[in-house]
Amino acid sequence: MPPRPPAEPAAPAGRSPLTPSPAPAVAAVRLAVRRLLTGLPGAGPVLVACSGGPDSLALAAATAFVAPRLGRPAGLVTVDHDLQPGSAERAEAVAGWARTAGFDPVEVLPVRVAGRPGGPEAAARTARYEALVVAAKRHHAAGVLLGHTRDDQAETVLLALARGAGPRGLSGMPERRELDGVPLLRPLLDVARSDTGAACAALGLTAWADPHNTDPAYARARVRAEALPALVDALGPGVVANLARTARLIAADAAALDTLAAAALDDVRAAGGGLSVDGLAALPDAVRGRVLHAWARELGAPPADLSHRHVAALDALVTDWRGQGPAHLPGNLPVRRHAGRLVQGGAPA
Ligand SMILES: Nc1ncnc2c1ncn2[C@@H]1O[C@H](COP(=O)(O)OP(=O)(O)OP(=O)(O)O)[C@@H](O)[C@H]1O
């Protein structure tokens, strides 16, 4: 069903109809958007990335309400992945609603997913983010707003725990990050999914139900349908908020370690090039791992291919040196230990 234009809820009895009080869920979503938009740098528009699902539809309705009050232009973009029948009509319905809600610009972004590497979900995500970044640059946007909620964050943390992720994965999704110079902003990370659904209902918006969200072929859908509800049953309703809180705490620690590692990398640079083994060995494990990771990227290893195994191989040259090596980084980059340093290059002749 295409979304219908938002309508403010009727004022409760005893209140002036001129100042209706929004439903609590509507107020919660608006407050979250206001908090993020207040003081956002840059004068350009924010672009809401809206799928037509309940999260981004509630986000869009809140942005349509809040942005003009803060003097911030707001546009809306919806991506047509062309993966399901009727996707073009749905995208047009979202765009049509957005025009009536006052967004400008409003764009449907068609993307091609076929032929990209990875599974269809990953390929669609990559294509979507590419299109969002291009649109944001075209409109000199101050940022792209995404509708991820607290429940999405909790799912992300559980999935990260299940695959044995380190602090980066356990940090979940950041509220703000830059992709190719474009700020990606997630105002709803502390808003419950039940609130985005309730906000849509209170505003008379009919959201699109993405069949992928309930398809048990996807691990995230199984976490959403089974694992999180089981945890909530067993441990209480605070679990979702607590998982999201843990992500924030770990993100703060990870950021502090990153800062320490950036300084440590400069400290352990060796005079003749490469890194000093003694300097590296003196660092705490968590800092040394980050230093080696950053150095590998500096050497030209493609970040997407650089795994913890590569970092562990570099680490072994420092802490477990038995004459082995070189370690091989992706991008055909051998690293060896020579004269008390880690240096790039194959075995000496
Ligand atoms: N087709 C799309 N067009 C524009 N933005 C999208 C699209 N799909 C996803 N997004 C953006 O990415 C966010 C996360 O999408 P995802 O599908 O992972 O989560 P979701 O919980 O199903 O969100 P929603 O309820 O908004 O569909 C969305 O809230 C939205 O901001």
Side-chain angles (χ1 to χ4, degrees), residues 186-230:
R186 296 186 172 92
L188 307 188
L189 277 185
D190 209 18
V191 172
R193 186 178 292 137
S194 55
D195 275 345
T196 60
C200 287
L203 295 171
L205 293 168
T206 308
W208 168 65
D210 183 350
H212 282 150
N213 287 345
T214 49
D215 182 346
Y218 296 102
R220 182 177 288 272
R222 295 195 298 276
V223 167
R224 190 174 291 190
E226 295 165 33
L228 255 185

Side-chain angles (χ1 to χ4, degrees), residues 48-59 76-81 90-91 94 109 121 125 128-129 132 144-149 152 155 173 185-186 188 193 196 207-210 212-213 220 224:
V48 179
C50 184
S51 63
D55 300 337
S56 52
L57 199 55
L59 170 67
L76 183 144
V77 287
T78 185
V79 177
D80 176 11
H81 300 100
R90 180 172 46 77
V94 172
L109 308 173
E121 275 292 281
R125 192 179 318 109
R128 177 164 74 242
Y129 279 103
L132 293 174
V144 173
L145 302 188
L146 299 164
H148 297 99
T149 61
D152 293 314
E155 290 159 14
M173 296 173 281
L185 309 166
R186 296 186 172 92
L188 307 188
R193 186 178 292 137
T196 60
W208 168 65
D210 183 350
H212 282 150
N213 287 345
R220 182 177 288 272
R224 190 174 291 190

